[in-house]
Amino acid sequence: MTQILVSEVGPRDGLQSTHRIMPLEAKKAWLKAEAEAGVREIEVGSFVPPSLLPQLADTAEVVAFAKTIPSLNVVALVPNAKGAARAVEAAVHGISIPFSMSETHSIKNVRKTHAEMIDEIAEVARIAGEAGIHFAVGLSTAFGCTIEGAVPEDRVIRLAEAAVRAGAKELSLSDTTGYADPAQVKRMVRKVKAAVGDEKLTTLHLHNTRGLGLANALAGLEEGITTLDASLGGIGGCPFAPGASGNIVTEDLVFMLNSMGCDTGIDLEKLLKVRDIVAAALPEEPLYGFTPDAGLTLDYTTRGKA
């Protein structure tokens, strides 16, 4: 049975795009309930200036709570070396930094050119390495950009190689804007793996903006991807990429994977109940997902076991 890690990113990528700020106690309840449902990794927040993302101003407190949950891998996003230093102080288990393959998006998102980002990645790698913390680089807008349009694949390969040379222990390919299609996903995964090694590319971060999220996830699985990011209720997007909305829905992804016989370790019935916590804390925020609306199939418990 193939083991697939479903990494929940809602508390970071989801909440950074909501208008309402989720109370700390609701965040704690969310993390606890997801972990009890079997989710093994959660991106709990981001160490960015509170003035930019007040929704994530309490990330240090969220990390402190999350670390009390047994067997949960607690990760956080950082935009730069200052954020990495704060993440190390909070003693997260892992950090990631977004590295946009679109230079225009990079400047809008983190105010750095590609060359400046390579230097920043090297410094974050040093900080993480000295603290013994896993460091990953997310190759965002890898499949296209709402500002620049198409992103040349050879640029993605070149920057992926540069990120690894700068100290990235792991890479993910991110469809920040929902531009990807399954054929493109397969092609990009193959090319990046050929350039940096299979062990360096394990993760896809996909959005469902045009309804291709699960199709793209399946394409990644067929190329050996073992970690898939998803957001409970599909909340989230990128505030610096116009029109970029709709993370793939954790509940739908888990239904697909479990039905296929993959080992996620997640109890879907318990996971579906976590939506109540998020809905109560964010009453004006729409929650998405076909599985929550339709319910489980009558044969769900036996699917994927033939």
Side-chain angles (χ1 to χ4, degrees):
M1 185 180 293
T2 304
Q3 285 196 333
I4 302 297
L5 176 65
V6 175
S7 182
E8 173 64 60
V9 300
R12 194 280 301 175
D13 197 11
L15 295 184
Q16 75 175 12
S17 299
T18 59
H19 296 293
R20 183 187 292 260
I21 296 176
M22 180 179 279
L24 177 60
E25 291 309 308
K27 291 183 181 181
K28 291 180 178 179
W30 181 0
L31 300 183
K32 183 174 184 292
E34 277 221 26
E36 289 176 348
V39 174
R40 292 173 285 142
E41 179 174 285
I42 303 178
E43 188 177 53
V44 301
S46 177
F47 287 94
V48 298
S51 59
L52 293 179
L53 287 176
Q55 302 95 322
L56 305 179
D58 57 1
T59 292
E61 292 91 337
V62 176
V63 169
F65 172 78
K67 289 187 62 189
T68 68
I69 301 174
S71 303
L72 181 66
N73 192 38
V74 181
V75 299
L77 181 138
V78 302
N80 50 37
K82 287 184 179 179
R86 291 177 59 201
V88 167
E89 184 178 358
V92 298
H93 298 138
I95 60 176
S96 66
I97 189 170
F99 182 22
S100 181
M101 304 293 93
S102 159
E103 194 157 43
T104 307
H105 179 261
S106 181
I107 292 169
K108 285 185 175 292
N109 192 31
V110 294
R111 300 175 184 173
K112 285 184 172 59
T113 65
H114 283 160
E116 290 169 333
M117 273 305 300
I118 293 298
D119 291 340
E120 200 73 22
I121 288 169
E123 180 60 13
V124 173
R126 181 191 66 79
I127 293 169
E130 290 178 355
I133 292 174
H134 184 71
F135 173 47
V137 171
L139 305 177
S140 55
T141 66
F143 300 96
C145 174
T146 53
I147 305 169
E148 289 188 8
V151 173
E153 293 181 357
D154 60 350
R155 181 198 300 169
V156 178
I157 303 305
R158 173 172 55 81
L159 294 177
E161 292 173 326
V164 170
R165 287 195 299 271
K169 299 300 181 186
E170 184 181 355
L171 301 175
S172 69
L173 283 172
S174 299
D175 184 22
T176 315
T177 56
Y179 269 38
D181 63 73
Q184 187 185 22
V185 168
K186 282 176 167 286
R187 190 168 62 247
M188 285 301 305
V189 170
R190 289 174 190 165
K191 287 186 175 183
V192 174
K193 282 190 170 189
V196 301
D198 287 0
E199 75 286 353
K200 293 291 187 184
L201 178 61
T202 60
T203 304
L204 287 179
H205 178 97
L206 302 168
H207 285 207
N208 197 43
T209 313
R210 291 168 179 82
L212 294 179
L214 291 184
N216 291 334
L218 183 58
L221 294 177
E222 290 173 350
E223 294 300 325
I225 289 295
T226 56
T227 299
L228 293 165
D229 291 351
S231 176
L232 192 88
I235 59 174
C238 177
F240 302 103
S245 61
N247 285 280
I248 57 175
V249 177
T250 306
E251 302 93 302
D252 288 344
L253 177 64
V254 171
F255 175 76
M256 181 184 80
L257 294 174
N258 286 359
S259 296
M260 290 169 58
C262 296
D263 178 13
T264 65
I266 298 173
D267 183 322
L268 183 52
E269 291 181 295
K270 289 184 178 179
L271 183 68
L272 289 170
K273 294 177 182 177
V274 183
R275 288 171 67 96
D276 294 338
I277 298 171
V278 178
L282 301 173
E284 299 169 2
E285 191 70 28
L287 298 181
Y288 303 97
F290 290 99
T291 303
D293 290 343
L296 301 182
T297 59
L298 292 177
D299 64 346
Y300 172 71
T301 58
T302 60
R303 297 183 72 166
K305 297 180 180 179

